[in-house]
Amino acid sequence: MQTMRLASTLRQSRETLSTQDKERHKSYGYQRAQTPEGVLTSLIPPMQFPHTERRKQKAFAMSQEHDMDSLHVTKRQLKLLKTSPLVILNKNSGFSNSSVFAASSSLSVSPLDSSSSSSGSALQGSWKFFSILEARKQLMKEICAKYKGSISKIITRSHVKHLYVEDKHKLLYCQVPKTGCSNWKRTLMVLAGKASNVQNIQHDTVHYGGHLKKLESFSQKEIMHRLETYKKFVFVREPFERIVSAYRDKLENPNDYYHNLFGKPIISKYRLNPSEEALRTGSGVMFKEFIQYLLDVHRPVGMDIHWDQVNQLCHPCLIHYDFIGKFENMGEESNFLLRLIGAPLSLTLPTFKDRNPGDKRTSLEITKKYFSQLSMLERQRLYDFYYMDYLMFNYSKPFKDLY
């Protein structure tokens, strides 16, 4: 049996990064990242809040990230797309020919019909999307080379414990809570033939029904085979919005499990003169107390998957994802991925909210409301804590006073 390499990666926050990099991120506007080794060669976009710039909606709008505007389709590339779209898309996407056939079909693209304006527009939109996916993967490669080039390249069983397997379509999905993972699990169940439609799958069935296999449940040889041959995807979200969403769901709303496991020790350590009821129930954790817990190197209780960094959950410097999607544009990007893998045209990612459905979804405005309770130092330290996620997934600075 092939022996699986074993090792562990070190957690790295921005607090350990060089002073030179901190100075570089004080400036706004496009610039080249300077490193002694010259590892980063692509342009790093300005770090401004992504939601402050309202772009015109386009037919194939991507998530709010700054790498979009720098991508163009050359005349030669467009000509190649029109004459042989399937081959060109396959080269850039990393997906199989059959997958690209499915994508082309859903976009109404045909070599025989490439002269029409609608087909040309679809081709340009398709090419732009693949270009953005490639840009995301290239940025990931460069960030990993710069900041984590010295880590061990050995993949352990713990590195794959958040990856779910769908063998029929040869997919590996890394679960990142608060980025639509419940609905993605529903979709994977339908793809695997475990359910007929996504609408009738209850929340507990999704998470506790055991219908989806985790990659860590396979033998070492089978794990490595799937990592090498299956298509791997992950969806990410703006880090501050993600942790506000997690706090609202697990600590602000009724949740006996999280109140007992996290609420009690958080209130006990960070609240002055807590009431007996608060210590007994663990309910009513304030957002500021939750942030104190996150930033404490001596936490009274460990981290949780709902607010751990994405780079620690999915290990993108070890596991090379074929598709990095953005929660901010979940509808378009998830359905594009479904077409790529050859899913039935009738299958789309559900959009319903099955936990605390009466609450508004966490948005920019709601996030700003919660962060107004923090000091500037707390915001800076929290940005430092999630800095690698901001870099790897090209999210903008959440506040202008951050460096």
Side-chain angles (χ1 to χ4, degrees):
M1 177 179 295
Q2 176 181 348
T3 302
M4 189 178 185
R5 306 172 188 172
L6 300 175
S8 62
T9 58
L10 297 175
R11 182 179 300 273
Q12 181 179 18
S13 72
R14 189 190 179 206
E15 294 168 348
T16 65
L17 301 181
S18 66
T19 304
Q20 179 183 18
D21 290 310
K22 292 183 179 180
E23 292 298 321
R24 173 169 62 81
H25 285 279
K26 288 182 180 179
S27 63
Y28 297 93
Y30 286 83
Q31 61 177 342
R32 265 184 206 283
Q34 302 295 326
T35 71
E37 302 85 359
V39 176
L40 277 176
T41 57
S42 65
L43 296 178
I44 300 298
M47 293 292 185
Q48 298 172 350
F49 209 99
H51 303 278
T52 58
E53 297 182 10
R54 299 292 182 183
R55 293 192 174 93
K56 295 180 179 179
Q57 295 297 318
K58 300 182 180 180
F60 220 89
M62 294 296 103
S63 60
Q64 294 172 323
E65 56 183 329
H66 297 287
D67 57 9
M68 290 172 53
D69 295 333
S70 63
L71 298 172
H72 302 284
V73 180
T74 66
K75 291 182 179 179
R76 177 177 178 276
Q77 290 168 337
L78 186 56
K79 181 179 179 181
L80 289 171
L81 274 172
K82 288 182 176 180
T83 56
S84 183
L86 301 181
V87 175
I88 299 302
L89 293 181
N90 182 45
K91 286 181 178 179
N92 286 280
S93 68
F95 287 88
S96 65
N97 273 325
S98 60
S99 298
V100 178
F101 267 104
S104 297
S105 174
S106 68
L107 292 170
S108 300
V109 174
S110 167
L112 299 177
D113 192 35
S114 60
S115 59
S116 68
S117 59
S118 60
S119 294
S121 175
L123 278 171
Q124 291 188 58
S126 177
W127 175 263
K128 185 172 184 179
F129 195 12
F130 278 112
S131 298
I132 290 174
L133 293 176
E134 288 302 307
R136 290 175 185 172
K137 291 194 291 183
Q138 180 62 27
L139 176 63
M140 179 66 65
K141 180 179 179 181
E142 294 176 344
I143 295 298
C144 289
K146 178 176 173 60
Y147 293 110
K148 297 198 173 185
S150 61
I151 66 170
S152 172
K153 302 302 180 184
I154 302 168
I155 297 177
T156 73
R157 192 172 292 272
S158 66
H159 290 133
V160 302
K161 65 182 179 180
H162 299 303
L163 269 70
Y164 285 84
V165 180
E166 201 283 281
D167 284 313
K168 183 177 178 181
H169 294 81
K170 296 186 176 181
L171 290 175
L172 295 178
Y173 166 60
C174 186
Q175 171 188 220
V176 178
K178 315 314 297 180
T179 64
C181 66
S182 296
N183 284 332
W184 259 114
K185 286 183 179 180
R186 289 184 172 94
T187 304
L188 290 176
M189 287 176 62
V190 173
L191 286 171
K194 303 292 185 180
S196 58
N197 65 77
V198 295
Q199 303 298 328
N200 298 329
I201 308 175
Q202 300 299 314
H203 181 270
D204 287 350
T205 303
V206 171
H207 293 285
Y208 312 115
H211 297 289
L212 295 174
K213 294 181 180 179
K214 284 190 172 184
L215 187 56
E216 65 175 344
S217 68
F218 291 85
S219 69
Q220 297 176 350
K221 183 177 180 179
E222 289 173 324
I223 289 174
M224 297 310 297
H225 171 72
R226 282 167 173 77
L227 284 173
E228 292 168 359
T229 60
Y230 281 25
K231 299 307 173 186
K232 301 167 285 293
F233 74 98
V234 60
F235 273 82
V236 299
R237 185 177 186 177
E238 203 283 333
F240 279 12
E241 285 193 15
R242 178 173 166 253
I243 63 168
V244 169
S245 178
Y247 164 76
R248 295 175 71 202
D249 181 23
K250 303 304 179 185
L251 295 173
E252 188 175 65
N253 282 306
N255 192 313
D256 290 341
Y257 176 81
Y258 275 86
H259 290 175
N260 278 301
L261 183 60
F262 290 93
K264 290 179 180 180
I266 288 175
I267 291 173
S268 176
K269 182 167 184 178
Y270 306 109
R271 183 176 298 181
L272 294 176
N273 302 317
S275 67
E276 290 185 6
E277 181 181 2
L279 291 173
R280 178 178 58 83
T281 64
S283 62
V285 172
M286 294 181 289
F287 184 65
K288 191 178 182 71
E289 294 169 337
F290 171 62
I291 299 304
Q292 286 179 293
Y293 146 77
L294 276 181
L295 298 176
D296 191 347
V297 294
H298 302 292
R299 298 185 190 97
V301 62
M303 284 293 286
D304 182 75
I305 186 176
H306 288 82
W307 43 78
D308 205 353
Q309 299 103 320
V310 177
N311 75 88
Q312 293 297 323
L313 297 175
C314 298
H315 304 282
C317 291
L318 290 175
I319 300 169
H320 304 300
Y321 291 90
D322 302 284
F323 191 107
I324 301 172
K326 294 291 185 77
F327 175 85
E328 290 77 11
N329 196 50
M330 177 65 79
E332 290 85 353
E333 298 196 19
S334 61
N335 290 326
F336 194 91
L337 174 58
L338 287 171
R339 303 294 78 79
L340 281 176
I341 64 172
L345 294 177
S346 59
L347 180 61
T348 59
L349 192 78
T351 58
F352 54 82
K353 187 174 184 284
D354 58 357
R355 282 187 58 82
N356 307 307
D359 289 354
K360 290 183 178 180
R361 292 184 184 273
T362 302
S363 62
L364 164 66
E365 290 73 23
I366 290 176
T367 299
K368 290 173 66 177
K369 176 183 176 181
Y370 281 89
F371 271 81
S372 67
Q373 304 171 33
L374 306 181
S375 67
M376 185 178 69
L377 178 60
E378 287 171 326
R379 293 200 305 267
Q380 181 64 56
R381 290 187 61 203
L382 199 63
Y383 179 63
D384 292 345
F385 186 74
Y386 289 102
Y387 184 63
M388 289 308 299
D389 280 0
Y390 275 101
L391 277 186
M392 287 181 169
F393 305 113
N394 199 24
Y395 279 108
S396 305
K397 268 186 184 177
F399 295 98
K400 290 183 178 180
D401 59 359
L402 299 174
Y403 59 83

